[in-house]
Amino acid sequence: MNVLRIALKEMKIVREPRMLVFMLATPVLLILILGTALSNAFNGSTAIGDIRLLYHNDGAGPELTEQWQVFMQEAERSSGIVFQQVEEGMDGEQEVRNNRYTGYVEMDGQGIRYDGNSRNSTENGIVQGMLSAFTDRYRLSAEAAKIDSAYENKPLVDDGGSYVLESSIQGARQPGSLDYFSIAVTTMIILYSALTAGGLIDSERKRNTAQRLLASPVTKAEIFAGKIMGTLAINAVFVIIVVLISKYMFNAYWGENPIMVFLVLFTEILFALSLGLGISYVLKGNAAGAVIMVIIQLAAFFGGGYTPVASTTGFMREAATYSPLHWSNEALLQIIYSGDGTAAVHAMMLNAGFSVLLLAVAMISMRRREGL
């Protein structure tokens, strides 16, 4: 009962406007600002210029010519590529070098040869991909015709009579800027709760209420457990509210497994509170707050709190693996977008393990002290 009373007292911190602003307004504004300002890092686009293709066909292969005509019609209709046959006296390769065309295609009895314009890398890549697909399908038609001549006159294009059936696999969903920063800011704001935890006992000393608590019929263990329980509960409520706001106001995607998502978040809350308490007993006063702030800032910087670290290499990549923010973010991303709970179990074990270690340090230090 004493533990519950102390926990309820700690939860009354919601009456402080500054705490409400910090735990609710700050993460919501950060998600909106970072998610909007850095949207190009997730949804960048590349402008594609006009694609003009010069070609020459000597007519040596009538089947190839027929399929090429069908290919040009489809490409012009669906992709807007402009095809132009080389005129007499025109040097196709020189025209490409002069940047008048994206590429030059030459067809003869030996097959197809393509010369692309390296100065238009994006457009050149598109043409190469389309020509590669065309040649692969043409080879398939030639092989099919060898097996059964009935396939020789069937078109490659899927118009109901085609013998080539194409299918595509939908790629896995990827996080957008608001999706990513809804996760990153939530885990980062949880880490900041270590500052609050660092002042749980110190605030009692500053207000001269520590002696009153010790004089009351309450043990140190009950005081310790009640403060942790109350702070853990109120931070969990704040996190749930932030997740719901990001989900329904910003349409952030939190996946189809909310139980695992919240388990990872709750174990991170426990880790943050344990970090604050542990350091507050190892160091005293302002020194503890300064060290906690440095740890939080380093964890946020290397762990992807302000920008994604998935594409980083070298020292940044190596340092990220030691950030509690990084392993929590990676666990959430894998749960939400891959349905893989392996990283989540790993993150929860790390959070819980460090929490036990830090809480043990705090409890041993509390028992050795005369006061709180």
Side-chain angles (χ1 to χ4, degrees):
M1 186 59 69
N2 289 332
V3 173
L4 184 59
R5 288 195 185 100
I6 296 172
L8 291 174
K9 177 260 179 185
E10 293 300 325
M11 293 179 67
K12 291 179 181 179
I13 197 172
V14 295
R15 295 181 297 183
E16 296 185 15
R18 288 180 300 176
M19 179 57 67
L20 289 175
V21 169
F22 181 75
M23 295 301 294
L24 291 178
T26 300
V28 171
L29 288 175
L30 277 176
I31 292 170
L32 182 60
I33 292 170
L34 293 174
T36 304
L38 300 178
S39 59
N40 288 335
F42 294 82
N43 303 312
S45 59
T46 303
I48 299 174
D50 295 333
I51 299 178
R52 302 177 67 235
L53 201 61
L54 193 65
Y55 72 94
H56 171 68
N57 187 0
D58 63 2
E63 295 86 2
L64 178 60
T65 301
E66 181 181 354
Q67 299 292 354
W68 176 255
Q69 292 296 327
V70 176
F71 169 73
M72 285 195 301
Q73 293 175 6
E74 289 296 320
E76 288 178 345
R77 179 180 61 82
S78 60
S79 304
I81 298 177
V82 177
F83 291 86
Q84 182 177 337
Q85 189 167 2
V86 65
E87 299 177 358
E88 186 176 352
M90 183 183 292
D91 187 343
E93 295 179 359
Q94 187 62 41
E95 293 292 322
V96 173
R97 282 195 290 269
N98 291 337
N99 203 29
R100 295 192 179 99
Y101 294 90
T102 304
Y104 172 59
V105 180
E106 188 171 2
M107 292 175 288
D108 53 28
Q110 302 299 319
I112 299 177
R113 185 170 63 87
Y114 173 70
D115 292 315
N117 188 343
S118 59
R119 283 178 285 184
N120 300 329
S121 59
T122 303
E123 294 84 353
N124 187 35
I126 293 173
V127 173
Q128 286 181 342
M130 295 181 68
L131 288 176
S132 177
F134 169 75
T135 54
D136 289 342
R137 295 175 70 181
Y138 178 74
R139 291 193 192 99
L140 179 61
S141 68
E143 293 299 321
K146 292 178 183 179
I147 299 173
D148 190 344
S149 59
Y151 292 112
E152 186 173 359
N153 297 323
K154 283 191 176 183
L156 288 172
V157 182
D158 188 8
D159 59 354
S162 170
Y163 58 89
V164 178
L165 179 62
E166 294 184 343
S167 60
S168 61
I169 300 175
Q170 185 176 2
R173 182 170 182 165
Q174 297 296 319
S177 58
L178 284 171
D179 298 321
Y180 176 82
F181 285 109
S182 293
I183 296 171
V185 171
T186 301
T187 55
M188 183 171 63
I189 211 69
I190 287 174
L191 214 55
Y192 273 96
S193 61
L195 290 171
T196 305
L200 282 177
I201 304 298
D202 194 50
S203 62
E204 301 291 349
R205 302 190 194 108
K206 289 180 179 178
R207 291 181 300 185
N208 297 318
T209 55
Q211 297 302 321
R212 291 184 180 183
L213 282 173
L214 291 175
S216 64
V218 183
T219 64
K220 286 185 177 181
E222 288 176 327
I223 296 171
F224 193 77
K227 284 185 170 292
I228 292 176
M229 186 182 299
T231 310
L232 180 64
I234 194 61
N235 277 279
V237 172
F238 283 143
V239 167
I240 292 172
I241 293 173
V242 170
V243 170
L244 293 177
I245 289 175
S246 65
K247 179 179 177 65
Y248 293 106
M249 285 187 64
F250 304 143
N251 292 322
Y253 183 64
W254 283 92
E256 305 299 330
N257 194 348
I259 295 177
M260 287 293 290
V261 168
F262 283 116
L263 281 175
V264 173
L265 293 175
F266 293 160
T267 56
E268 191 194 354
I269 296 172
L270 182 61
F271 167 77
L273 299 182
S274 305
L275 177 67
L277 280 170
I279 293 178
S280 70
Y281 272 99
V282 174
L283 303 172
K284 294 181 180 180
N286 295 331
V291 170
I292 293 172
M293 178 59 77
V294 170
I295 292 174
I296 292 172
Q297 291 298 325
L298 290 175
F301 178 74
F302 290 109
Y306 304 108
T307 184
V309 296
S311 58
T312 58
T313 57
F315 173 75
M316 286 289 292
R317 185 65 177 177
E318 183 66 22
T321 59
Y322 298 99
S323 170
L325 203 67
H326 174 69
W327 66 58
S328 295
N329 287 344
E330 284 296 308
L332 292 172
L333 287 171
Q334 289 197 28
I335 294 170
I336 295 170
Y337 294 97
S338 302
D340 185 2
T342 305
V345 174
H346 180 69
M348 287 189 287
M349 290 178 64
L350 284 172
N351 289 334
F354 281 113
S355 298
V356 171
L357 178 62
L358 291 166
L359 288 175
V361 170
M363 291 180 69
I364 293 171
S365 300
M366 177 184 278
R367 285 186 176 182
R368 290 179 177 178
R369 288 187 180 182
E370 291 185 4
L372 288 177

